[in-house]
Amino acid sequence: MMDRWTTRINSGNLEIDIEREIVATAGEIIARTSFGINDDNARKICEKLRALQMALFKTTRYVGVPYIKFIDIKKTLEAMKLGKEIDKLLLYFIESRKESKIIRKGREDLLDLLLHENQVDGKYGKRLSTKELVDECKTFFFAGHETTALAISWTLMLLAMNEDWQNQLRDEIREVVGDKEVDINVLAGLKK
């Protein structure tokens, strides 16, 4: 995310849609850490999930209105199409992981755990159907990226409003990290 922002600023584009960037980054992080999906595919899934979420949001304004899905058929069809595209992408990753013979000991992610728990006698599909696995992945994406993005957005807004905290955090980062590259081991030393 920071590299994208730096590139945009250096190219003369000084406006950045922070919300879009944070939502995309949160989705990419969840895609990578929970499902082992790389950046391009993660971004694609997140964009489609966001579009589906917006399409569903527009139709939920009419909750309780009878036959609304038939009245606003365009939005209903758009949501159905996006849902099928997302299902197809997630199904591809689930099937790829099932067929993969790579043992990921110590690096298991949520998808590994779902698939492992779904095995009975070494065969897949006994506890959850593939459709149910896809639905679990979608649910995790929806719940995970939105809450993470909101938390990051609020944190940035509060930091923007409190210069004293910005300075305290910068000082702590300089003290703990110094000139080194930030990695997971260094983060544990950051208390604030």
Side-chain angles (χ1 to χ4, degrees):
M1 176 177 74
M2 297 307 291
D3 291 338
R4 286 194 309 260
W5 291 7
T6 303
T7 302
R8 289 185 67 145
I9 291 169
N10 290 338
S11 68
N13 188 349
L14 301 180
E15 287 188 25
I16 298 172
D17 184 344
I18 300 293
E19 182 205 9
R20 173 177 278 146
E21 289 288 325
I22 290 173
V23 168
T25 301
E28 290 170 20
I29 290 168
I30 288 173
R32 186 178 311 134
T33 58
S34 300
F35 304 103
I37 301 171
N38 68 23
D39 291 339
D40 293 335
N41 290 318
R43 187 169 292 127
K44 190 184 305 181
I45 289 174
C46 292
E47 287 170 0
K48 289 183 185 298
L49 280 170
R50 186 75 170 158
L52 177 61
Q53 187 176 26
M54 296 314 288
L56 293 173
F57 174 74
K58 290 175 186 174
T59 60
T60 58
R61 288 185 272 175
Y62 305 109
V63 170
V65 176
Y67 308 108
I68 191 62
K69 68 180 183 182
F70 300 113
I71 294 170
D72 197 352
I73 195 76
K74 184 178 179 183
K75 285 188 179 35
T76 302
L77 290 174
E78 177 187 351
M80 288 173 59
K81 180 182 177 217
L82 284 167
K84 287 179 182 178
E85 290 174 6
I86 293 166
D87 287 355
K88 186 177 176 182
L89 281 168
L90 290 173
L91 183 61
Y92 169 77
F93 292 113
I94 290 170
E95 293 300 327
S96 296
R97 186 69 63 88
K98 282 181 181 179
E99 294 170 5
S100 174
K101 302 297 181 200
I102 298 171
I103 298 173
R104 299 164 43 97
K105 284 291 182 198
R107 297 181 315 153
E108 291 105 348
D109 55 24
L110 178 67
L111 185 54
D112 288 322
L113 295 174
L114 284 171
L115 291 173
H116 179 71
E117 289 301 315
N118 205 41
Q119 287 183 350
V120 175
D121 299 329
K123 296 181 180 176
Y124 291 102
K126 297 295 183 183
R127 293 188 184 168
L128 290 175
S129 69
T130 304
K131 170 79 171 106
E132 290 169 330
L133 281 170
V134 168
D135 289 343
E136 289 296 320
C137 292
K138 282 195 301 192
T139 300
F140 195 78
F141 261 116
F142 266 125
H145 93 279
E146 191 70 25
T147 53
T148 304
L150 286 172
I152 293 169
S153 298
W154 275 103
T155 302
L156 290 176
M157 187 193 78
L158 290 171
L159 281 172
M161 294 171 56
N162 296 287
E163 191 174 334
D164 183 48
W165 269 97
Q166 289 178 43
N167 293 329
Q168 289 179 38
L169 291 174
R170 283 187 191 109
D171 292 342
E172 182 182 19
I173 290 168
R174 282 187 200 105
E175 182 181 310
V176 174
V177 177
D179 294 332
K180 298 179 286 188
E181 186 76 22
V182 178
D183 68 9
I184 193 73
N185 299 321
V186 175
L187 290 179
L190 299 172
K191 302 301 178 203
K192 291 182 180 170

